[in-house]
């Protein structure tokens, strides 16, 4: 009971951790609800490390986890949601350098608790697929135009026309984010939200949708969304001017300049909190600056603008084809065309949009093939964009600049993918080397194999000792046989009436030591022939002299055969040892029955 209480209290603390940290940032002192909402959601995005996940990586994760084939109203439980988030963040860590790795478990816990608190307030333990897609695609990193294009693909039909019912469902889901950070009174969902976004249009295509969402100002219910992206872009922008209120000599982020008070500028902290000094008032109109330009650059830009060298207004987004294209044949990457307005996530590919045709596990060899296919698609799209840029007229400078910028981005992404593939190959190589090396743990798991190996090694040592003893005996026997040969020659060359006893009384070599008998050798002639062989004994025991040359050769052959059989038995033991060592190195759980190489307790006779 105590353990269950501690676990539940720990889960409650984890659920409230993100909101407690957000309250500690004191965002509520910001007087404008738009900036307050954008700052809070930006904090959640960074704290959960969603700003490191590009929208196209998020779309790829949706496909890998099989969400593209599910209905928008299908429900998934919290455990599967945790699995999807785990795959997203583990893939993110594979793309990041080793010096910038994130805490995956902490990111999963914070984001999971935030999503459950936002979309499962009643505690059912389930979320719809469309809720998860809307939240993750809105809160992840990447360009806002890419996010809006993906969102439009989810709320439009096959002809490329927006379905108002699906857009209304999207507003219901996405406006739960401001409500989750306690900004529901300002940006909560209402029944008239759809018509406030599109008051007159009846047929909404992609370009019209992007025009409305990226307009200045955007729809009131979603005004915090583009501001959150602008906050991300200006976090590290430096302005070398002094704040007119706090007297800070430098500004980071936004800079605000009064349109009525000459030279009056405020940093973003002072402006957000409503600070004013001198003749300046909070009612004055302020202009927001996201970058710094020196007076010389301003003058040159004004002159170029007056002379018509700089376009007066730039479109907020590129113009996309209105008609949806047919699905691309992913089996032939060279036939892929550049960005299209396709209304299905299986064929939606844009600049810098990596996709995969099937899911792959981290350890599967097919994952490398999948990466190669991605690189092939990138190269094909890069070549298509290069051919299109060469066909453009030289006067279209802005389009050429955009094409070059996209090409540089694609090159950078290809280099990142290449580094990932090399790291994956190195990791698999290390795992293979570690698996091939024997470890003490594997040896401890096979005590029968160890006992068999020790027994075989003991048997090998015994045979080696016997081998060395037999070699010594053979050497002494050969010396004795040479003495017998000399004695035989002397006997055949002497008197024919000489007796065997006379020949046996002659000087004899040193007797050999028999390995099979433990008796102490003596100096008798009969003991001198001990261990030589029956043929030699018979030859010297008979009264009539025989031709002993053939008998001695037969005795030498018997000794040689005995030595050969002993060597073969020793080699068989060596082979058995090598087989058992190979089995131990491979870590087999089951070992074969012990091999018996002959009778281990018998001594070979000679």
């Amino acid at each position: 009971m105590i353990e269950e209480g501690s676990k539940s209290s720990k889960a409650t603390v984890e659920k409230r951790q993100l909101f407690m940290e957000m309250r500690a940032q004191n965002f509520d002192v910001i007087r404008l609800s738009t900036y307050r909402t954008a700052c809070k959601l930006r904090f959640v995005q960074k704290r959960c490390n969603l700003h490191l996940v590009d929208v196209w990586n998020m779309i790829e994760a949706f496909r890998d986890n099989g969400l593209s084939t599910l209905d928008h109203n299908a429900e998934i439980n919290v455990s599967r949601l945790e699995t999807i988030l785990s795959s997203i963040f583990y893939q993110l860590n594979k793309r990041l350098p080793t010096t910038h790795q994130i805490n995956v478990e902490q990111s999963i816990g914070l984001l999971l608790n935030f999503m459950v608190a936002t979309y499962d307030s009643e505690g059912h333990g389930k979320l719809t697929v469309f809720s998860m897609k809307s939240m993750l695609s809105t809160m992840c990193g990447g360009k806002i135009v890419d996010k809006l294009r993906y969102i439009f693909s989810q709320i439009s039909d096959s002809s490329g026309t927006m379905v108002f019912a699906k857009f209304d469902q999207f507003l219901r889901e996405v406006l739960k984010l401001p409500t989750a950070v306690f900004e529901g009174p300002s940006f909560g969902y209402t029944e008239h939200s759809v018509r406030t976004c599109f008051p007159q249009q009846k047929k909404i295509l992609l370009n019209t949708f992007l025009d409305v969402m990226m307009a200045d100002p955007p729809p009131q219910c979603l005004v915090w969304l583009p501001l959150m992206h602008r906050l991300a872009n200006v976090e590290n922008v430096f302005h070398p001017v002094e704040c007119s209120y706090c007297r800070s000599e430098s500004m980071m982020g936004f800079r605000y300049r009064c349109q009525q008070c000459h030279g009056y500028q405020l940093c973003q902290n002072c402006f957000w909190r409503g600070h004013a000094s001198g003749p300046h008032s909070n009612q004055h109109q302020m202009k927001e600056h996201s970058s710094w330009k020196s007076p010389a650059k301003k003058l040159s830009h004004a002159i170029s603008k007056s002379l018509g060298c700089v376009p007066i207004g730039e479109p907020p987004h590129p113009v996309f084809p209105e008609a949806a294209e047919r699905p691309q044949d992913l089996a032939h990457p060279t036939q892929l065309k550049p960005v299209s307005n396709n209304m299905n996530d299986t064929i939606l590919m844009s600049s810098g949009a990596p996709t995969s045709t099937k899911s792959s596990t981290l350890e599967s060899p097919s994952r490398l093939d999948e990466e190669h296919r991605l690189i092939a698609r990138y190269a094909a799209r890069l070549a298509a964009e290069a051919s299109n840029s060469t066909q453009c007229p030289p006067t279209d400078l802005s389009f050429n600049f955009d094409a070059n910028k996209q090409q540089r981005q694609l090159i950078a992404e290809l280099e990142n993918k290449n580094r990932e593939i090399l790291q994956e190959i190195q990791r698999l190589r290390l795992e293979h080397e570690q698996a091939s090396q024997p470890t003490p743990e594997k040896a401890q798991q096979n005590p029968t194999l160890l006992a068999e190996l020790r027994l075989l090694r003991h048997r090998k040592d015994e045979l080696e000792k016997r081998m060395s003893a037999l070699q010594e005996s053979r050497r002494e026997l050969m010396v004795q046989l040479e003495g017998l040969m000399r004695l035989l020659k002397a006997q055949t060359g002497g008197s024919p009436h000489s007796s065997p006893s006379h020949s046996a009384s002659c000087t004899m070599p040193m007797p050999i030591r028999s390995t099979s008998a433990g008796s102490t050798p003596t100096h008798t002639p009969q003991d001198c022939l001990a261990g030589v062989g029956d043929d030699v004994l018979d030859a010297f025991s008979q009264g009539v002299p025989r031709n002993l040359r053939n008998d001695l050769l037969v005795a030498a052959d018997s000794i040689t055969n005995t030595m050969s059989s002993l060597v073969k038995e020793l080699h068989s033991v060596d082979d058995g040892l090598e087989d058992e060592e190979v089995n131990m190195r491979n870590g087999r759980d089951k070992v074969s029955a012990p091999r018996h190489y002959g009778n281990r307790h018998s001594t070979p006779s000679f």
Side-chain angles (χ1 to χ4, degrees), residues 12-30:
T12 305
V13 171
E14 289 179 352
K15 288 180 180 179
R16 297 179 179 178
Q17 179 182 356
L18 186 62
F19 297 101
M20 293 171 62
E21 292 180 2
M22 185 178 64
R23 284 195 178 96
Q25 299 295 320
N26 200 19
F27 291 122
D28 290 331
V29 300
I30 301 176

Side-chain angles (χ1 to χ4, degrees), residues 84-104:
I84 296 170
L85 297 182
S86 300
S87 66
I88 292 172
F89 285 111
Y90 277 112
Q91 288 293 333
L92 171 63
N93 248 1
K94 293 175 67 65
R95 294 189 296 269
L96 294 176
T98 55
T99 56
H100 293 76
Q101 297 288 300
I102 65 171
N103 189 340
V104 175

Side-chain angles (χ1 to χ4, degrees), residues 410-475:
L410 288 175
I411 291 173
E413 291 174 0
L414 288 174
E415 292 175 351
N416 292 334
K417 285 293 181 182
N418 188 28
R419 284 193 294 268
E420 292 173 20
I421 293 172
L422 293 177
Q423 292 176 0
E424 183 71 13
I425 292 174
Q426 184 67 20
R427 185 183 66 82
L428 293 175
R429 187 175 299 166
L430 291 176
E431 290 180 356
H432 177 72
E433 292 176 357
Q434 292 175 359
S436 62
Q437 294 178 357
T439 58
E441 292 77 5
K442 292 181 181 180
Q444 292 177 0
Q445 295 174 0
N446 297 277
T448 308
L449 190 61
L450 283 176
E452 180 69 16
L453 185 60
R454 283 195 295 268
L455 187 62
L456 288 175
R457 286 179 177 171
H458 181 66
R459 174 68 174 164
K460 179 182 178 183
D461 294 337
E462 290 181 354
L463 291 177
E464 287 178 350
K465 291 179 182 179
R466 289 177 56 193
M467 184 71 179
S468 60
L470 287 175
Q471 288 178 351
E472 183 66 20
S473 300
R474 183 174 181 274
R475 186 182 64 80

Side-chain angles (χ1 to χ4, degrees), residues 231-340:
L231 282 173
N233 294 331
V234 301
E235 282 182 348
N236 299 320
V237 174
F238 175 74
H239 304 271
V241 295
E242 182 183 16
C243 178
S244 300
Y245 181 84
C246 66
R247 300 301 175 184
S248 176
E249 296 182 355
S250 60
M251 301 182 188
M252 295 294 293
F254 286 119
R255 175 172 55 91
Y256 297 90
R257 184 166 56 88
C258 181
Q259 301 296 300
Q260 298 181 20
C261 304
H262 177 71
Y264 193 90
Q265 302 187 85
L266 293 176
C267 62
Q268 65 179 17
N269 292 330
C270 294
F271 175 75
W272 289 352
R273 287 158 176 79
H275 294 161
S277 61
H280 179 70
S281 172
N282 289 331
Q283 304 301 322
H284 291 181
Q285 185 180 1
M286 303 290 288
K287 185 176 182 180
E288 184 181 273
H289 296 273
S290 58
S291 62
W292 165 257
K293 291 182 180 180
S294 63
K297 287 185 177 180
K298 290 181 181 179
L299 179 60
S300 62
H301 182 78
I303 295 174
S304 301
K305 187 175 180 180
S306 63
L307 295 176
C309 299
V310 177
I312 297 176
E314 295 182 358
H317 63 84
V319 179
F320 298 96
E322 297 292 348
E325 295 181 357
R326 292 180 298 176
Q328 304 286 355
D329 185 8
L330 299 181
H332 303 283
T334 55
Q335 298 178 0
L336 290 178
K337 297 182 180 180
V339 180
S340 65

Side-chain angles (χ1 to χ4, degrees), residues 130 134 138 151 155 166-174:
F130 190 69
S134 301
T138 303
I151 292 170
I155 62 175
K166 292 184 178 180
F167 179 67
D168 181 73
Q169 184 182 3
F170 166 73
L171 288 181
R172 289 176 184 270
E173 303 299 337
V174 78

